[in-house]
Amino acid sequence: MNIKKSPLILIPLVCIALPQLAGAPASPASPASPASPASQTGPRPNIIIILADDLGYGDLSCMYSHDMRTPNIDRFFSEGARLDNFYANASLCSPSRASLLTGRYCDMAGVQGVIRNEGPDSYYNNFGYLTPGITMMPEALKAAGYTTALIGKWHLGYSSPNTPNERGFDVFKGFLGGMMDDYYAHTRMGFPALRINNDACPKVAGHITDVFTDWAVDFAREQHEKGKPYFLYLAYNAPHVPLAPPQDWLDKVKRREPGISETRAKLVATIEHMDAGIGRLFDYLKQSGQWDNTLIIFTSDNGGFRGSEPNNGPYRGFKSTMYEGGLRVPAAFYLKGRIESKRLPNMAQIMDIFPTICDLLGINPGAPCDGISILPALEGKAQITDERYFWFLIREMGQGGNKLQTAIRKGPFKLLQNFASEPYELYDLAADPAEQHPLKIDAKGKTYKDLFEQMRKRIACAGAVPWNMPADKYVSWAEMNK
């Protein structure tokens, strides 16, 4: 099985991490014995990944938000394994989702930044082209007999070969892009955004969070009646802007939290409304008898967006920055009898989810992963996950100037360049988790030299993977909707 587990995580980040298309594996397969696969101990579990969109590290009432009420997610974090040091692979939507679904560093999957096609100049503001042929989580699970569904936000391509059905999902009900302009009209740039597989979705009424929850419950019910295991990737677009909670939810927050700003009230209400939807899905799973045999994972694609007034906990920065507030995300895993009631200090990244699921099921991911299985830690066994290099990268327009923003961490030390025009910053996160006091950089110092050299090599490796589509394959949003 091509699943890495400690102690082999001491391998340096060199160009063995080039993608499959270059003919080189991501890393050697771990010789460690795999965990007992679920398929050998009973019926294979259903798998549900719930991904919030721009949810700040602190924006749950079980985290750092005292103005928030998220009882369903809070209960889930209490009953499951909560990871206090869980990271997105990037501080933007598309690259983080690429890492989730491939188990690769986002640059090794061809997605360095936001994938766009919606404006007249979007080709020059597009920073991702999901590598054709790279193995995807839904493909591996489909090969193992799972029915696969994406309900919600895709954001990994608008056209062939990078549509959800072409990349392993049997069912796609959601939208292709990065956001909606209206949570009720379900539109983007004046056109209907929702799709069912490859077709425009007939008009549906209701707040989009409720629509996605309804579709998720319906899918779980249909598969349960068929008696087949399923993989459901439920990718809410909440609490991404525009903040548009139902009015009754907003009114409730304002009554409860006097003095709260309008923007913050909308964010809180949007998250609380999503929490209610998640609770409705959980209730159905329990009522139908599926709860006890379903692996459920909850996390976010990146930290909170500055303009939404998020709570990113005690950490500096926001979405699209290389500081902890842009990269740390809340995360919890649950599988009755195997992954329950613990808080873990282990560092992990969103790319670790794919190999962890494969390890649990005892299946081959189909291609090497950059991530590692963290199943031993989730099950309460001793596992070192921190003694590897954690690599973060985005490429963005605007202030970013289409140039790279990068960070790399090993142990407590983190080296970052938040913008290409800014100097490098080195932090000891054990002593300064809020990144308020950068260490003096000694160009000859061992820590700086090591992190700088690994960052340099990672950037070189990333250069082998195209991150924009050929111009003749680009189709604008307006052209798609003619």
Side-chain angles (χ1 to χ4, degrees):
M1 293 172 58
N2 291 317
I3 298 172
K4 296 187 290 180
K5 288 189 276 190
S6 54
L8 288 188
I9 49 181
L10 296 174
I11 298 170
L13 291 178
V14 294
C15 285
I16 56 173
L18 286 173
Q20 186 181 5
L21 64 89
S27 72
S30 171
S33 299
S36 299
S39 58
Q40 295 178 4
T41 59
R44 288 175 296 173
N46 302 315
I47 299 163
I48 298 177
I49 296 175
I50 303 173
L51 189 70
D53 195 355
D54 294 358
L55 180 70
Y57 182 81
D59 265 331
L60 299 170
S61 50
C62 65
M63 300 294 284
Y64 289 92
S65 289
H66 301 297
D67 56 0
M68 187 89 63
R69 302 290 183 271
T70 50
N72 298 293
I73 299 174
D74 291 359
R75 189 178 308 112
F76 176 74
F77 271 53
S78 176
E79 294 175 355
R82 168 176 163 176
L83 280 76
D84 290 331
N85 292 294
F86 195 80
Y87 286 85
N89 274 76
S91 58
L92 286 172
C93 305
S94 298
S96 193
R97 291 159 198 269
S99 291
L100 168 66
L101 292 178
T102 65
R104 305 299 305 269
Y105 294 109
C106 59
D107 48 340
M108 294 293 100
V111 185
Q112 295 191 3
V114 174
I115 294 176
R116 296 183 174 94
N117 83 335
E118 294 153 339
D121 296 321
S122 287
Y123 184 76
Y124 305 103
N125 298 324
N126 178 74
F127 307 109
Y129 181 54
L130 185 63
T131 302
I134 195 169
T135 299
M136 304 282 286
M137 186 192 304
E139 294 171 331
L141 293 175
K142 183 189 289 193
Y146 279 73
T147 301
T148 60
L150 163 57
I151 292 174
K153 175 176 172 174
W154 170 237
H155 210 191
L156 288 175
Y158 292 85
S159 57
S160 184
N162 288 330
T163 61
N165 295 121
E166 292 175 289
R167 303 314 299 259
F169 286 105
D170 295 309
V171 177
F172 168 52
K173 301 178 77 172
F175 64 106
L176 295 169
M179 62 179 288
M180 289 185 183
D181 296 328
D182 191 308
Y183 272 46
Y184 285 95
H186 316 147
T187 55
R188 178 64 172 150
M189 308 291 288
F191 296 104
L194 289 180
R195 299 287 191 272
I196 295 181
N197 296 323
N198 294 314
D199 300 320
C201 176
K203 189 172 180 60
V204 292
H207 192 281
I208 194 60
T209 297
D210 295 326
V211 172
F212 289 160
T213 300
D214 289 343
W215 284 347
V217 172
D218 288 345
F219 174 78
R221 180 182 295 110
E222 291 164 2
Q223 300 311 308
H224 182 56
E225 291 172 352
K226 294 177 181 178
K228 287 192 62 177
Y230 61 84
F231 165 47
L232 170 60
Y233 173 33
L234 176 55
Y236 286 109
N237 57 319
H240 195 290
V241 294
L243 299 175
Q247 189 62 45
D248 56 337
W249 286 83
L250 179 59
D251 292 342
K252 180 172 65 174
V253 170
K254 289 181 175 180
R255 287 193 301 268
R256 191 186 68 220
E257 305 292 338
I260 192 170
S261 73
E262 182 72 15
T263 298
R264 178 66 186 171
K266 287 182 176 180
L267 178 68
V268 170
T270 299
I271 295 169
E272 292 186 353
H273 181 229
M274 178 180 66
D275 175 78
I278 291 170
R280 186 150 59 88
L281 174 61
F282 287 175
D283 287 345
Y284 168 71
L285 295 174
K286 293 171 182 177
Q287 293 163 7
S288 62
Q290 298 182 61
W291 181 261
D292 291 351
N293 194 41
T294 300
L295 170 67
I296 303 172
I297 301 168
F298 175 89
T299 190
S300 177
D301 58 349
N302 47 249
F305 171 60
R306 181 193 294 267
S308 296
E309 299 182 14
N311 184 333
N312 286 332
Y315 302 111
R316 177 183 178 183
F318 301 89
K319 173 183 179 178
S320 78
T321 74
M322 290 291 104
Y323 299 108
E324 295 288 284
L327 296 167
R328 281 186 186 249
V329 288
F333 294 62
Y334 175 83
L335 178 59
K336 186 175 176 63
R338 293 190 70 169
I339 304 172
E340 295 182 316
S341 298
K342 59 181 68 70
R343 288 185 68 168
L344 298 173
N346 298 70
M347 285 176 58
Q349 279 186 293
I350 205 167
M351 70 178 181
D352 296 333
I353 290 176
F354 183 15
T356 298
I357 290 172
C358 290
D359 195 9
L360 174 74
L361 299 179
I363 65 172
N364 194 308
C369 293
D370 294 313
I372 66 169
S373 171
I374 59 170
L375 183 61
L378 295 174
E379 293 186 319
K381 301 169 186 174
Q383 183 185 15
I384 298 172
T385 62
D386 303 3
E387 293 183 4
R388 51 178 167 152
Y389 296 96
F390 287 76
W391 166 241
F392 309 94
L393 165 151
I394 64 170
R395 188 184 293 271
E396 186 55 315
M397 62 179 188
Q399 185 180 355
N402 291 21
K403 299 177 182 178
L404 289 179
Q405 298 166 242
T406 56
I408 192 165
R409 177 179 177 177
K410 186 179 180 187
F413 294 103
K414 176 181 173 185
L415 179 68
L416 67 87
Q417 188 177 30
N418 195 45
F419 289 105
S421 59
E422 296 178 355
Y424 289 97
E425 299 171 57
L426 179 64
Y427 293 96
D428 178 353
L429 296 180
D432 181 23
E435 296 171 302
Q436 297 297 311
H437 307 289
L439 302 175
K440 183 178 180 180
I441 289 180
D442 177 1
K444 297 181 180 180
K446 179 180 178 181
T447 297
Y448 172 77
K449 284 179 63 178
D450 175 55
L451 292 177
F452 181 82
E453 184 66 11
Q454 295 299 331
M455 180 183 285
R456 189 181 68 82
K457 290 178 178 178
R458 281 269 15 130
I459 293 171
C461 291
V465 186
W467 51 263
N468 204 349
M469 68 179 66
D472 62 353
K473 292 185 179 295
Y474 176 79
V475 182
S476 72
W477 183 240
E479 291 172 321
M480 285 178 60
N481 285 279
K482 283 182 179 178

